[in-house]
Amino acid sequence: MGSACDQEDAQQRIPFIISGLQAPGIRKVLKRSRYKRRHAIYLEYVDAETLAKGFVGKQNDIADFLHLAKAISTALSEVHKNNIIHKDVSPSNILINLQNRSATLID
């Protein structure tokens, strides 16, 4: 288990690592700063709900599913092309908008 300093260092590196990714389906870093002597990052707002909640109680067609699956795999492919490993790809870390069939990888 890492020390508090190791964890803080990792938190500082994450926005730097993802700030260069400007691909569809990846939430963008808008700004990095410090607030009350702590590091802060400002992330793009995405008007969507998590994949974990997005399909609950809804009957969607296969076309919706395939569009979202393609969007998710394209975003993940971009992350991997940049030698980044997400480490927590889960329905809670994917935002979806069923109206425009978009998906965004977060966290």
Side-chain angles (χ1 to χ4, degrees), residues 18 21-28 44 46 67-79 86 89 93-97 100-107:
I18 64 171
L21 294 176
Q22 298 295 319
I26 300 170
R27 185 161 55 175
K28 292 162 187 56
E44 166 188 38
V46 179
H67 279 280
L68 292 171
K70 182 180 178 198
I72 294 164
S73 62
T74 300
L76 198 53
S77 174
E78 280 299 314
V79 169
H86 188 286
V89 177
N93 286 330
I94 299 169
L95 299 178
I96 62 167
N97 183 318
N100 65 15
R101 292 179 168 169
S102 66
T104 304
L105 192 59
I106 63 171
D107 295 347

Side-chain angles (χ1 to χ4, degrees), residues 49-87:
E49 57 190 342
T50 65
L51 181 60
K53 295 178 183 174
F55 283 104
V56 174
K58 296 178 182 152
Q59 198 155 35
N60 298 49
D61 63 20
I62 190 72
D64 286 338
F65 170 79
L66 292 174
H67 279 280
L68 292 171
K70 182 180 178 198
I72 294 164
S73 62
T74 300
L76 198 53
S77 174
E78 280 299 314
V79 169
H80 289 169
K81 281 181 192 175
N82 285 276
N83 296 317
I84 299 169
I85 299 171
H86 188 286
K87 292 177 77 174

